[in-house]
Amino acid sequence: MERIIGETNGIIRKIRLEAPLHFVWKIESYSTLLESKWNKIESGSFEVDGHKWKLTFFPNGNNNHKGEGYVSLYLSISDTEEPPLSLDVSVIFKFLVFDQIKGKYLAIQDSNEMCRFQWMKTKWGFAQLLPLGVFKDPSNGFLIDDRCIFGVDIFVEFVESHDFIVEGLKWKLKLYPKGKSTGQNSVSLFLLLVTELPDYYRKVYAEYKLRICDQVNGNHLENTISDITYFDKGNTGWGIDHFVPLSDVNNMSKGFLLKDAVNVEVEFSYISVFKQLS
């Protein structure tokens, strides 16, 4: 349970008792950080929903982004040293700062909620997380015995596969781990046509199977996408909102989730391209 205590400049602040869901970072010797030549410190990498992440903390504020007089905190995706051009991960995240006196967390998140991590922007966060005076005030409990504790919750909106080519066209799979639109409480899975169709292409018709693999028993779950399934400039993706209930995915005996990963596949039956007659 979270209780909203304020919203300013598009940042929502809440109080809660629950610990961070995905990562806790304890920083010792805060004063030593202030005295060092380094203006920031990075956490180790941690994994959420198949991606690696890390936190970056500026103990005296990120002065390059109007963080003077504040502490700054950022979340970065760190799958690879050089992010690929195809990187596209949308998430909702919130930072948590532990009140070591009351045993509660201050949760801080953007009111716009959704943040998109791409190759040109792999880091999101707050230059003005908390005013330095508020952070350092012992009565607030955020900095006690020269120690502070941060956490983060990360909810991935969707993940996309790498592009692949079938019949000379470029495609990719898109998976919503928590469901899309009407697919709440289900995993949603879609096939996207990545190739930008030229003007002389009218439509691309396709029949295919979408599959979530049972990695333990081999009892894969399949759904055939057929009927009038066409891709054009106005319809670049087709799939199923309610592909599999989340309860089934989280049921380890069904084998869909193994080592925090799911395997999804597509199998084409046919692809037909209709071109504009000249």
Side-chain angles (χ1 to χ4, degrees):
M1 177 71 75
E2 295 182 345
R3 176 172 57 87
I4 296 178
I5 60 172
E7 179 176 352
T8 55
N9 299 323
I11 300 176
I12 300 174
R13 290 177 170 82
K14 304 177 183 179
I15 296 294
R16 81 182 206 193
L17 291 172
E18 295 80 12
L21 293 176
H22 297 117
F23 184 65
V24 175
W25 187 21
K26 183 185 294 185
I27 299 175
E28 306 281 358
S29 303
Y30 172 82
S31 59
T32 302
L33 291 177
L34 291 179
E35 296 166 1
S36 71
K37 64 178 181 180
W38 307 109
N39 66 345
K40 63 182 179 181
I41 180 175
E42 292 184 343
S43 73
S45 293
F46 56 96
E47 189 166 321
V48 178
D49 282 335
H51 294 282
K52 291 182 179 179
W53 309 86
K54 64 182 177 181
L55 298 179
T56 303
F57 176 58
F58 291 76
N60 208 25
N62 184 356
N63 296 334
N64 293 327
H65 290 86
K66 300 180 180 179
E68 300 91 342
Y70 293 82
V71 292
S72 309
L73 187 64
Y74 296 87
L75 173 68
S76 302
I77 192 166
S78 57
D79 286 343
T80 58
E81 193 168 317
E82 289 294 330
L85 294 177
S86 59
L87 178 67
D88 192 352
V89 182
S90 292
V91 308
I92 297 170
F93 72 89
K94 62 182 66 174
F95 291 136
L96 298 110
V97 189
F98 187 49
D99 180 342
Q100 301 172 62
I101 296 175
K102 298 178 181 177
K104 298 180 180 180
Y105 291 88
L106 173 64
I108 302 171
Q109 70 182 102
D110 195 316
S111 60
N112 294 323
E113 292 196 336
M114 193 66 64
C115 295
R116 196 169 183 180
F117 290 80
Q118 297 176 296
W119 69 272
M120 77 289 284
K121 185 170 178 61
T122 60
K123 180 185 296 183
W124 288 86
F126 303 101
Q128 300 180 358
L129 185 80
L130 284 172
L132 274 170
V134 172
F135 181 74
K136 292 180 177 181
D137 187 339
S139 67
N140 291 323
F142 301 132
L143 185 64
I144 300 293
D145 295 330
D146 214 23
R147 178 182 63 238
C148 52
I149 302 171
F150 298 101
V152 65
D153 296 346
I154 302 173
F155 304 96
V156 176
E157 176 71 5
F158 64 80
V159 291
E160 294 182 339
S161 71
H162 295 298
D163 297 347
F164 54 91
I165 296 176
V166 178
E167 294 295 329
L169 298 170
K170 191 179 294 185
W171 310 81
K172 65 182 174 184
L173 292 171
K174 187 172 188 176
L175 182 141
Y176 293 80
K178 302 293 190 300
K180 176 182 183 290
S181 60
T182 62
Q184 299 300 315
N185 299 316
S186 299
V187 170
S188 305
L189 184 59
F190 292 80
L191 174 69
L192 305 183
L193 177 63
V194 179
T195 298
E196 186 172 343
L197 297 176
D199 292 337
Y200 57 82
Y201 275 50
R202 293 182 60 193
K203 288 177 173 41
V204 175
Y205 286 89
E207 181 174 313
Y208 53 93
K209 290 180 181 178
L210 292 175
R211 179 182 300 124
I212 292 185
C213 298
D214 176 349
Q215 304 174 68
V216 176
N217 312 299
N219 299 320
H220 308 318
L221 178 62
E222 298 179 344
N223 278 287
T224 299
I225 311 296
S226 56
D227 300 325
I228 306 175
T229 306
Y230 64 86
F231 300 81
D232 59 16
K233 289 187 175 181
N235 297 283
T236 59
W238 293 93
I240 300 175
D241 284 345
H242 297 274
F243 196 92
V244 58
L246 277 174
S247 57
D248 285 356
V249 174
N250 292 322
N251 184 341
M252 295 297 105
S253 68
K254 293 185 178 291
F256 298 128
L257 184 64
L258 184 65
K259 296 182 180 179
D260 202 32
V262 296
N263 290 343
V264 296
E265 299 176 349
V266 60
E267 180 182 336
F268 288 91
S269 300
Y270 72 84
I271 298 173
S272 298
V273 178
F274 288 76
K275 298 182 180 180
Q276 182 74 44
L277 296 176
S278 56

